[in-house]
């Protein structure tokens, strides 16, 4: 019996031998980048997109967003063309101590969330409050459009 036959060979290693040198290089570069970026937050990461609920009552639309660690000064609300945009940024907080070397790091980043509002919303009537990291935005519903009858007159 041959000693080489007792050594397990993964299918991955066999497949690489049959590839061209350029394909093997491409796979190795892909593997390196996948390993390097693992652990970093991505755009789809929940760290950068806060949880948000949108509910509708008879009189208003309620938007609730969880923004732990943020204060009122860190949050910005804008309404343009019936789009409510919530922006915020969590600042980096870092603490170091010289003796026995004590280090504290916190995550940070910026986010933007946008909600489509119904046409006719009065932007001046929107109210926002924030308590314990929870933002609540109340948007009064616009009055329903009333049909107006227009009289047709003969041409002059």
């Amino acid at each position: 019996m041959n000693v080489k036959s007792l050594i397990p060979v993964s299918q991955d290693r066999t497949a690489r031998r049959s590839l061209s040198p350029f394909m093997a290089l491409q796979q190795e570069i892909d593997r390196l980048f996948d390993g390097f970026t693992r652990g970093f937050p991505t755009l789809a990461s929940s760290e950068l997109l806060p949880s948000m609920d949108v509910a509708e009552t008879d009189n208003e639309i309620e938007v609730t967003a969880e923004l732990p660690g943020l204060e009122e000064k860190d949050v910005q609300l804008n309404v343009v063309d019936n789009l409510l945009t919530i922006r915020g940024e969590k600042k980096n907080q870092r603490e170091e101590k010289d003796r026995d070397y004590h280090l504290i790091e916190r995550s940070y980043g910026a986010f933007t969330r946008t909600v489509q509002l119904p046409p006719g919303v009065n932007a001046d009537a929107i109210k926002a409050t924030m308590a314990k990291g929870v933002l609540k935005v109340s948007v009064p519903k616009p009055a329903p459009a009333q049909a107006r009858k227009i009289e047709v007159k003969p041409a002059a």
Side-chain angles (χ1 to χ4, degrees):
M1 179 177 268
N2 189 354
V3 175
K4 282 188 172 183
S5 65
L6 297 176
I7 300 172
V9 178
S10 70
Q11 292 179 349
D12 222 14
R13 197 178 271 168
T14 315
R16 284 189 182 169
R17 287 185 191 155
S18 64
L19 296 176
S20 72
F22 294 111
M23 284 297 285
L25 177 63
Q26 178 67 41
Q27 283 182 345
E28 192 63 25
I29 290 172
D30 289 344
R31 186 189 63 78
L32 270 171
F33 275 103
D34 288 344
F36 178 75
T37 58
R38 192 172 296 126
F40 287 103
T42 62
L43 291 177
S45 173
S46 61
E47 291 180 40
L48 298 178
L49 293 177
S51 298
M52 191 166 69
D53 293 331
V54 179
E56 185 175 356
T57 65
D58 292 336
N59 302 324
E60 64 185 8
I61 298 167
E62 297 172 346
V63 179
T64 306
E66 293 180 7
L67 309 173
L70 294 182
E71 297 175 10
E72 295 86 5
K73 63 181 178 158
D74 301 325
V75 180
Q76 185 180 47
L77 292 174
N78 295 322
V79 177
V80 177
D81 295 332
N82 296 325
L83 293 175
L84 172 67
T85 303
I86 303 170
R87 284 191 175 92
E89 184 172 1
K90 188 172 183 179
K91 308 286 186 201
N92 184 11
Q93 297 179 1
R94 186 176 174 138
E95 176 183 324
E96 290 187 35
K97 294 190 178 183
D98 297 332
R99 300 272 171 157
D100 297 327
Y101 207 81
H102 177 75
L103 174 69
I104 296 175
E105 293 182 4
R106 298 189 187 250
S107 63
Y108 63 96
F111 68 89
T112 301
R113 297 291 308 257
T114 302
V115 176
Q116 176 78 43
L117 299 175
V121 167
N122 181 4
D124 296 329
I126 296 174
K127 294 180 182 159
T129 59
M130 189 160 172
K132 297 182 181 180
V134 177
L135 174 70
K136 291 188 179 186
V137 182
S138 298
V139 181
K141 283 184 170 180
Q146 298 291 329
R148 194 177 91 187
K149 187 174 180 179
I150 300 173
E151 183 182 340
V152 178
K153 297 180 181 180

